[in-house]
Structures are given as structure tokens and as C-alpha cells.
Amino acid sequence: MSVEVKREYMDFEGVKFPVNIHTVESLTYAWKEFQTRDDDVFNVTFPKSGTTWLQEILTIIYSNGDPTPAKTMYSWDRVPWLEQHLGRQKLENRPSPRLITTHLPIQLFPQTFYNTKAKVIYTVRNPKDVCVSLYYFSLFALLLKCKEDFQEYLSMFLSKDTPFAGWFDHVKGWLTMKDNPNFLLLSYDDMTKDVRANVIKICKFLGKDLDDAAIDSVVEHSSFKAMKENNMSNYSAVPDSIFKKDTGTFHRKGVSGDYKHHFTPAQEEEFEKIYKDCMKDINFLF
Ligand code: A3P
């Protein structure tokens, strides 16, 4: 039986979520019922900020450099989404340590997290690049509201009609954790410059002692090219009824600064103004 995919959002506690893969039950489970364990590792992002990249890096770090799990199991099974409709089923009885992905804004993060030693890795990306990446992804992913016209899409990105609380509130919320020792802040843009240094940083944060060869393997098998070719990570297995693959690929460009090819000077100015206003209390620069 095929399910009709809709470009619609549901409201949960004032936050919008794509309807097809979220339910009140799944979001309530993530927020209020999920039992965090001390050795859980959360890969937290606003969409298009490096979620899939971190799924690959974490998988290969936890296999001590062996790429086999990343090449034989779908990313969404290796590092499942907490808040999606299959979250409970995939995570409840999973052996530790669990690697968990989430786009939840901080106010809906599992309440039990705060009584544990579990760790959060939060990856941020230049919001202009996030906007461009999400613009293309929305044309491709039939779960998301889209606009053909980039100016119209930009207006939507900057409005309240953005899922997962919108980029500004998502990032502002999560940055309040930045001094917590169980919180690691990564930058997608920095990772594109020196992924190895970031892999070492992640290993140190997680207490994973990988030798040089294992670190090299993490870097090699999580490269943009390797992931684009890996059918377990490139979303080629998702049916066309969900991802319209004739309009693009999940692994689009994988670079920092692509916004320069999309934003007009006027759009940049508009964006900067809103950025300065929304982020005025935050000490974080892109
Ligand atoms: P672009 O659309 O700019 O190419 P997410 O996984 O959070 O949805 O983010 C998707 C973005 O990360 C896409 O950006 C995708 O190409 C990029 N990406 C995925 N894997 C990557 C990798 N190994 N290296 C660099 N960028 C990667």
C-alpha cells in the first residue's frame, strides 16, 4: 500500500514538523518518555548542517575505523532519528552505546538527558548555505514545503514557516549548552577545511582512542565522494514517492560558501540584517 506523501507540517508545542514522518506519539516519546543512557551519543543538527556526515563519522569511529558497518547498513538504521515515527522501535532495545540523530530544538530534547552523562555533538553551518541546501533539498524531498523561486524560498526560510523551530531559534537554543562538558560544538564550515582535526576532536570528546590508521579510515570513508557513492548513506534507497530523484541528489555539492552563487547583494543585505537582529545576544560568528 503506498502512502500519500504531503508537503505539510504539524504543530507540536509550537514547533513545526513534517507530517509524514512525525506524530504526536513519536514526538512525545522523544521528549518525555525516552530513557537516556549514560553512554548515548546524540548527533544534533538543524537540517542541512552536516547530519549525514556526522552519522558516517560516528559510525566509523565506533567501529574503530572499520568501514564495514557504514557500507552494509543504512545510515538511518545505524544512527536512527529519535523523534521520527520509528524512533521508539529503533532505539528502545538497542544495545549500548547508542548513536542517535535528532533535529529537535533544545526545548523538546529528552527530559531524561539532563540526569545522565550522555553526550551531544551539535553541528552548525553557515545559515546562508543551510538555506541554499534546504532550498534544493525541498524541491527534491516531497516531505517539505518548497518554492521554485529562490527569493520566495528565502522569505519562507526567514519566516516562522520553517520546520524544527527555524535555524535561528534552533541554533540559539542549542548554543546555551556550549559550556556544558558533555556538549561539543562543531562547525560544518570548519570541517570542510580540516576534517581530520575535527575527527580527532570528536574522538577526544567521546573518549575514543583511535590510532592514526583508524583516523585516516574515518576521514577517507566519510569524504563527500565516498558518501555520495555509498548506497547506505546517499539516500538512493528512498522511494521516488518521497525523494524525487530526477530533481537532484542528496549529496549535492558539500562545500562551504555556495550561497555566494545564489544570494544577490540585496538578499545578502536582508539576511545580514535579520541575522544581526536575531543573533544579537549570541557570541558566534560565521
Ligand atoms: P549541500 O546541499 O550544500 O551539498 P544534512 O545531512 O544535514 O541533511 O546536510 C546535507 C548537506 O551536507 C548537503 O549539502 C550535503 O551535500 C552535505 N554533505 C553530506 N555529506 C557530506 C560530506 N561527507 N562532506 C561534506 N558535505 C557533506
Side-chain angles (χ1 to χ4, degrees), residues 141-201:
L142 302 172
L143 315 164
L144 298 173
K145 291 189 185 182
C146 73
K147 300 277 182 198
E148 293 277 340
D149 179 75
F150 182 69
Q151 173 61 54
E152 283 181 33
Y153 188 79
L154 176 59
S155 302
M156 190 162 79
F157 183 86
L158 294 171
S159 76
K160 295 275 169 216
D161 207 13
T162 320
F164 307 103
W167 186 89
F168 294 96
D169 286 350
H170 202 279
V171 171
K172 275 199 298 192
W174 278 103
L175 286 182
T176 60
M177 283 264 290
K178 73 180 182 341
D179 297 323
N180 184 317
N182 289 333
F183 180 85
L184 177 68
L185 179 63
L186 295 180
S187 148
Y188 174 99
D189 306 283
D190 192 48
M191 286 170 66
T192 60
K193 287 189 201 117
D194 189 349
V195 68
R196 199 172 197 283
N198 279 281
V199 169
I200 292 169
K201 198 194 277 184

Coordinates of all heavy atoms in Angstrom, one line a residue, residues 141-201:
A141 N 12.8 16.7 -1.8 CA 12.2 15.9 -0.7 C 10.7 16.3 -0.6 O 10.4 17.4 -0.3 CB 12.9 16.1 0.6
L142 N 9.8 15.3 -1.0 CA 8.4 15.7 -1.1 C 7.7 15.8 0.3 O 6.5 16.0 0.4 CB 7.7 14.6 -1.9 CG 8.3 14.5 -3.3 CD1 7.7 13.3 -4.1 CD2 8.1 15.8 -4.1
L143 N 8.5 15.8 1.4 CA 8.0 15.9 2.7 C 8.0 17.4 3.2 O 7.5 17.7 4.2 CB 9.0 15.2 3.7 CG 9.4 13.8 3.4 CD1 10.6 13.4 4.3 CD2 8.3 12.8 3.6
L144 N 8.7 18.2 2.4 CA 9.0 19.6 2.8 C 8.2 20.6 1.9 O 8.1 20.4 0.7 CB 10.5 19.9 2.8 CG 11.3 19.1 3.7 CD1 12.8 19.3 3.5 CD2 11.0 19.3 5.2
K145 N 7.8 21.7 2.5 CA 7.3 22.8 1.7 C 8.4 23.4 0.8 O 9.5 23.5 1.3 CB 6.7 23.9 2.6 CG 5.5 23.5 3.4 CD 4.9 24.7 4.1 CE 3.7 24.2 5.0 NZ 3.0 25.2 5.6
C146 N 8.0 23.7 -0.4 CA 9.1 24.2 -1.3 C 8.6 25.4 -2.1 O 7.4 25.7 -2.1 CB 9.5 23.1 -2.2 SG 8.3 22.7 -3.5
K147 N 9.5 26.1 -2.6 CA 9.2 27.2 -3.6 C 10.2 27.1 -4.7 O 11.4 26.9 -4.5 CB 9.5 28.6 -2.9 CG 8.6 28.8 -1.7 CD 7.2 29.3 -2.0 CE 6.4 29.6 -0.7 NZ 5.0 29.6 -1.0
E148 N 9.7 27.2 -5.9 CA 10.7 27.2 -7.1 C 11.6 28.4 -7.1 O 12.7 28.3 -7.5 CB 9.8 27.1 -8.4 CG 9.0 25.9 -8.6 CD 9.8 24.7 -9.2 OE1 10.9 25.0 -9.8 OE2 9.4 23.6 -9.1
D149 N 11.0 29.5 -6.7 CA 11.7 30.8 -6.8 C 12.6 31.0 -5.5 O 12.0 30.9 -4.4 CB 10.7 31.9 -6.9 CG 11.3 33.3 -6.9 OD1 11.9 33.6 -8.0 OD2 11.3 34.0 -5.9
F150 N 13.9 31.2 -5.7 CA 14.7 31.3 -4.5 C 14.4 32.4 -3.6 O 14.4 32.3 -2.4 CB 16.2 31.4 -4.9 CG 17.1 31.4 -3.7 CD1 17.3 30.3 -3.0 CD2 17.8 32.6 -3.4 CE1 18.1 30.3 -1.8 CE2 18.6 32.6 -2.2 CZ 18.8 31.4 -1.5
Q151 N 14.0 33.6 -4.1 CA 13.6 34.7 -3.3 C 12.4 34.3 -2.4 O 12.4 34.6 -1.2 CB 13.2 35.9 -4.1 CG 12.7 37.1 -3.3 CD 13.6 37.7 -2.2 OE1 14.8 38.0 -2.5 NE2 13.2 37.7 -0.9
E152 N 11.5 33.6 -3.0 CA 10.3 33.2 -2.2 C 10.7 32.2 -1.1 O 10.2 32.2 0.0 CB 9.2 32.5 -3.1 CG 8.4 33.6 -3.9 CD 7.4 32.9 -4.7 OE1 6.9 31.8 -4.3 OE2 7.1 33.4 -5.8
Y153 N 11.7 31.3 -1.5 CA 12.2 30.3 -0.5 C 12.9 31.0 0.6 O 12.7 30.7 1.8 CB 13.1 29.3 -1.2 CG 13.4 28.2 -0.2 CD1 12.4 27.2 0.1 CD2 14.5 28.3 0.6 CE1 12.6 26.3 1.1 CE2 14.7 27.4 1.7 CZ 13.7 26.4 1.9 OH 13.9 25.5 2.9
L154 N 13.7 32.0 0.3 CA 14.4 32.7 1.3 C 13.5 33.4 2.3 O 13.7 33.3 3.5 CB 15.3 33.8 0.6 CG 16.1 34.7 1.5 CD1 17.1 34.0 2.4 CD2 16.9 35.7 0.6
S155 N 12.4 34.0 1.8 CA 11.4 34.6 2.7 C 10.8 33.5 3.6 O 10.6 33.8 4.8 CB 10.3 35.3 1.8 OG 10.9 36.2 1.0
M156 N 10.5 32.4 3.0 CA 10.0 31.3 3.9 C 11.0 30.8 4.9 O 10.6 30.6 6.1 CB 9.6 30.1 3.0 CG 8.7 29.1 3.7 SD 7.9 28.0 2.6 CE 9.1 26.9 2.1
F157 N 12.2 30.7 4.5 CA 13.3 30.3 5.5 C 13.4 31.3 6.6 O 13.7 30.9 7.8 CB 14.6 30.2 4.7 CG 15.8 29.8 5.6 CD1 16.0 28.4 5.7 CD2 16.7 30.6 6.2 CE1 17.1 27.9 6.5 CE2 17.8 30.2 6.9 CZ 18.0 28.8 7.1
L158 N 13.2 32.6 6.3 CA 13.3 33.6 7.4 C 12.0 33.8 8.1 O 12.0 34.5 9.1 CB 13.8 34.9 6.7 CG 15.2 34.9 6.1 CD1 15.4 36.2 5.3 CD2 16.2 34.8 7.1
S159 N 11.0 33.1 7.7 CA 9.7 33.3 8.4 C 9.5 32.2 9.4 O 10.4 31.4 9.6 CB 8.5 33.2 7.3 OG 8.4 31.9 7.0
K160 N 8.3 32.2 10.0 CA 8.0 31.2 11.0 C 7.6 29.9 10.4 O 7.3 28.9 11.1 CB 6.9 31.7 12.0 CG 7.4 32.9 12.8 CD 8.1 32.5 14.1 CE 8.8 33.7 14.7 NZ 10.0 33.4 15.3
D161 N 7.5 29.9 9.1 CA 7.0 28.7 8.4 C 8.2 27.7 8.0 O 8.2 27.1 7.0 CB 6.3 29.1 7.1 CG 5.2 28.0 6.8 OD1 4.9 27.2 7.6 OD2 4.7 28.1 5.6
T162 N 9.1 27.6 9.0 CA 10.2 26.7 8.8 C 10.1 25.6 9.8 O 9.9 25.9 11.0 CB 11.6 27.4 9.0 OG1 11.4 28.7 8.4 CG2 12.7 26.7 8.4
P163 N 10.4 24.3 9.4 CA 10.2 23.3 10.4 C 11.4 23.3 11.4 O 12.4 24.0 11.3 CB 10.3 22.0 9.6 CG 10.9 22.4 8.3 CD 10.6 23.8 8.1
F164 N 11.3 22.5 12.5 CA 12.3 22.3 13.5 C 12.7 23.6 14.2 O 13.8 23.9 14.6 CB 13.5 21.6 12.9 CG 13.2 20.3 12.2 CD1 13.2 20.3 10.9 CD2 12.9 19.2 13.0 CE1 12.8 19.1 10.2 CE2 12.5 18.0 12.3 CZ 12.5 18.0 10.9
A165 N 11.7 24.5 14.3 CA 11.9 25.8 15.1 C 12.6 26.9 14.2 O 12.8 28.0 14.7 CB 12.6 25.6 16.4
G166 N 13.0 26.6 13.0 CA 13.7 27.5 12.2 C 15.2 27.6 12.7 O 15.5 27.2 13.8
W167 N 16.1 28.0 11.7 CA 17.5 28.0 12.0 C 17.9 28.9 13.2 O 18.7 28.4 14.1 CB 18.3 28.5 10.8 CG 19.8 28.3 10.9 CD1 20.5 27.2 10.6 CD2 20.7 29.3 11.5 NE1 21.8 27.5 11.0 CE2 22.0 28.7 11.5 CE3 20.5 30.6 12.0 CZ2 23.1 29.4 12.0 CZ3 21.7 31.3 12.5 CH2 22.9 30.6 12.5
F168 N 17.4 30.1 13.3 CA 17.8 31.0 14.4 C 17.5 30.5 15.8 O 18.3 30.4 16.6 CB 17.2 32.4 14.1 CG 17.6 33.0 12.9 CD1 16.9 32.9 11.7 CD2 18.9 33.7 12.9 CE1 17.4 33.5 10.5 CE2 19.3 34.3 11.7 CZ 18.6 34.2 10.5
D169 N 16.2 30.1 16.0 CA 15.9 29.6 17.3 C 16.5 28.3 17.6 O 16.9 28.0 18.8 CB 14.3 29.4 17.4 CG 13.7 30.8 17.6 OD1 14.4 31.8 17.7 OD2 12.4 30.9 17.5
H170 N 16.7 27.4 16.6 CA 17.4 26.1 16.8 C 18.8 26.4 17.3 O 19.2 25.9 18.4 CB 17.4 25.3 15.5 CG 17.6 23.9 15.7 ND1 18.8 23.3 15.9 CD2 16.7 22.9 15.7 CE1 18.6 22.0 16.0 NE2 17.3 21.7 15.9
V171 N 19.5 27.2 16.6 CA 20.9 27.4 16.9 C 21.1 28.2 18.3 O 21.8 27.8 19.1 CB 21.7 28.2 15.8 CG1 23.0 28.6 16.2 CG2 21.8 27.3 14.6
K172 N 20.2 29.2 18.4 CA 20.3 30.0 19.7 C 20.0 29.1 20.9 O 20.7 29.2 21.9 CB 19.3 31.1 19.7 CG 19.8 32.4 19.0 CD 19.1 33.6 19.3 CE 17.6 33.6 18.9 NZ 17.0 34.9 19.0
G173 N 19.0 28.2 20.7 CA 18.7 27.3 21.8 C 19.8 26.4 22.2 O 20.2 26.3 23.3
W174 N 20.4 25.8 21.2 CA 21.5 24.8 21.4 C 22.8 25.4 21.9 O 23.5 24.8 22.7 CB 21.7 23.9 20.2 CG 20.7 22.8 20.2 CD1 19.5 22.7 19.4 CD2 20.6 21.7 21.1 NE1 18.8 21.6 19.7 CE2 19.5 20.9 20.7 CE3 21.5 21.2 22.1 CZ2 19.1 19.7 21.4 CZ3 21.1 20.0 22.7 CH2 20.0 19.3 22.4
L175 N 23.0 26.7 21.5 CA 24.3 27.3 21.9 C 24.2 27.6 23.4 O 25.3 27.9 24.0 CB 24.5 28.6 21.1 CG 25.0 28.4 19.7 CD1 25.3 29.7 19.0 CD2 26.3 27.5 19.6
T176 N 23.1 27.6 24.0 CA 23.0 27.8 25.5 C 23.7 26.6 26.2 O 24.1 26.8 27.4 CB 21.6 27.9 26.0 OG1 20.9 26.7 25.7 CG2 20.8 29.1 25.5
M177 N 24.0 25.5 25.5 CA 24.6 24.4 26.1 C 26.2 24.4 26.0 O 26.9 23.5 26.4 CB 24.2 23.1 25.4 CG 22.8 22.6 25.8 SD 22.9 21.3 27.1 CE 23.6 19.9 26.2
K178 N 26.7 25.5 25.4 CA 28.1 25.4 24.9 C 29.1 25.3 26.0 O 30.2 24.8 25.7 CB 28.4 26.6 23.9 CG 28.5 27.9 24.5 CD 28.9 28.9 23.4 CE 29.1 30.4 23.8 NZ 28.6 30.8 25.1
D179 N 28.8 25.6 27.2 CA 29.8 25.4 28.3 C 29.6 24.1 29.1 O 30.3 23.8 30.0 CB 29.7 26.6 29.3 CG 30.0 27.9 28.6 OD1 30.9 27.9 27.7 OD2 29.4 29.0 28.8
N180 N 28.6 23.3 28.6 CA 28.4 22.0 29.3 C 29.5 21.1 28.8 O 29.8 20.9 27.6 CB 27.0 21.5 28.8 CG 26.6 20.2 29.5 OD1 27.5 19.3 29.6 ND2 25.4 20.1 29.9
P181 N 30.2 20.4 29.7 CA 31.3 19.5 29.3 C 30.8 18.3 28.5 O 31.7 17.7 27.8 CB 31.9 19.0 30.7 CG 30.9 19.3 31.7 CD 30.0 20.4 31.2
N182 N 29.6 18.0 28.5 CA 29.1 16.9 27.6 C 28.5 17.4 26.3 O 27.7 16.7 25.7 CB 28.0 16.1 28.4 CG 28.6 15.3 29.5 OD1 29.8 15.0 29.4 ND2 27.9 15.1 30.6
F183 N 28.9 18.6 25.9 CA 28.4 19.2 24.7 C 29.6 19.6 23.8 O 30.5 20.3 24.3 CB 27.6 20.4 25.0 CG 27.0 21.2 23.9 CD1 25.8 20.8 23.3 CD2 27.7 22.3 23.3 CE1 25.3 21.5 22.2 CE2 27.2 23.0 22.3 CZ 26.0 22.6 21.7
L184 N 29.6 19.1 22.6 CA 30.7 19.5 21.6 C 30.1 20.3 20.5 O 29.1 19.8 19.8 CB 31.4 18.3 21.1 CG 32.5 18.6 20.1 CD1 33.7 19.3 20.7 CD2 33.0 17.3 19.4
L185 N 30.6 21.5 20.2 CA 30.1 22.3 19.1 C 31.0 22.1 17.9 O 32.2 22.4 18.1 CB 30.0 23.8 19.6 CG 29.6 24.8 18.6 CD1 28.1 24.5 18.2 CD2 29.7 26.2 19.2
L186 N 30.5 21.7 16.8 CA 31.3 21.6 15.6 C 30.8 22.6 14.5 O 29.6 22.9 14.6 CB 31.2 20.2 15.0 CG 31.7 19.0 15.8 CD1 31.5 17.7 15.1 CD2 33.2 19.2 16.1
S187 N 31.6 22.9 13.6 CA 31.2 23.8 12.5 C 31.4 23.0 11.2 O 32.5 22.6 10.9 CB 32.0 25.1 12.5 OG 32.2 25.5 11.2
Y188 N 30.3 22.9 10.5 CA 30.4 22.2 9.1 C 31.5 22.9 8.3 O 32.3 22.3 7.6 CB 29.0 22.3 8.4 CG 29.0 21.8 7.0 CD1 28.5 20.5 6.7 CD2 29.4 22.6 6.0 CE1 28.5 20.1 5.4 CE2 29.4 22.2 4.7 CZ 28.9 20.9 4.4 OH 28.9 20.4 3.1
D189 N 31.5 24.2 8.4 CA 32.4 25.0 7.5 C 33.9 24.7 7.9 O 34.7 24.6 7.0 CB 32.0 26.5 7.6 CG 30.6 26.7 7.3 OD1 30.2 26.6 6.1 OD2 29.8 26.8 8.2
D190 N 34.1 24.6 9.2 CA 35.4 24.2 9.7 C 35.8 22.8 9.2 O 36.9 22.5 8.9 CB 35.4 24.4 11.2 CG 36.8 24.4 11.7 OD1 37.7 25.1 11.2 OD2 37.1 23.6 12.7
M191 N 34.8 21.9 9.3 CA 35.1 20.5 8.9 C 35.5 20.4 7.4 O 36.3 19.6 7.1 CB 33.8 19.7 9.2 CG 33.6 19.4 10.6 SD 32.0 18.6 11.0 CE 32.2 17.1 10.1
T192 N 34.9 21.3 6.6 CA 35.3 21.2 5.1 C 36.7 21.7 5.0 O 37.4 21.3 4.0 CB 34.4 22.1 4.2 OG1 34.5 23.5 4.7 CG2 32.9 21.7 4.3
K193 N 37.3 22.4 5.9 CA 38.7 22.9 5.8 C 39.6 21.8 6.4 O 40.7 21.6 5.8 CB 38.9 24.2 6.6 CG 38.2 25.4 5.9 CD 38.6 26.7 6.6 CE 37.6 27.8 6.4 NZ 37.0 28.3 7.5
D194 N 39.3 21.2 7.5 CA 40.2 20.2 8.1 C 39.4 19.1 8.8 O 39.1 19.2 10.0 CB 41.1 21.0 9.0 CG 42.2 20.0 9.5 OD1 42.1 18.8 9.3 OD2 43.2 20.5 10.2
V195 N 38.9 18.2 8.1 CA 38.1 17.1 8.6 C 38.8 16.3 9.7 O 38.3 15.9 10.7 CB 37.3 16.3 7.6 CG1 38.3 15.5 6.8 CG2 36.2 15.5 8.2
R196 N 40.1 16.0 9.4 CA 40.9 15.2 10.2 C 41.0 15.8 11.7 O 40.8 15.1 12.7 CB 42.3 15.0 9.7 CG 43.0 13.8 10.2 CD 44.3 13.5 9.5 NE 44.8 12.1 9.8 CZ 45.4 11.8 10.9 NH1 45.6 12.7 11.9 NH2 45.7 10.5 11.1
A197 N 41.3 17.1 11.7 CA 41.4 17.7 13.0 C 40.0 17.6 13.8 O 40.0 17.4 15.0 CB 41.7 19.2 12.9
N198 N 38.9 17.7 13.0 CA 37.6 17.6 13.7 C 37.3 16.1 14.1 O 36.7 15.9 15.1 CB 36.5 18.1 12.7 CG 36.5 19.6 12.8 OD1 35.9 20.2 13.7 ND2 37.1 20.3 11.8
V199 N 37.8 15.2 13.3 CA 37.6 13.8 13.7 C 38.4 13.5 15.0 O 37.9 12.9 16.0 CB 38.0 12.8 12.6 CG1 38.1 11.4 13.1 CG2 37.1 12.9 11.4
I200 N 39.6 14.1 15.1 CA 40.4 13.9 16.4 C 39.7 14.6 17.5 O 39.6 14.0 18.6 CB 41.8 14.4 16.1 CG1 42.6 13.6 15.1 CG2 42.6 14.6 17.5 CD1 43.9 14.1 14.6
K201 N 39.1 15.7 17.3 CA 38.4 16.5 18.3 C 37.2 15.6 18.8 O 36.9 15.5 20.0 CB 37.9 17.8 17.7 CG 37.5 18.8 18.7 CD 36.7 20.0 18.1 CE 37.6 21.0 17.4 NZ 36.7 22.1 16.9

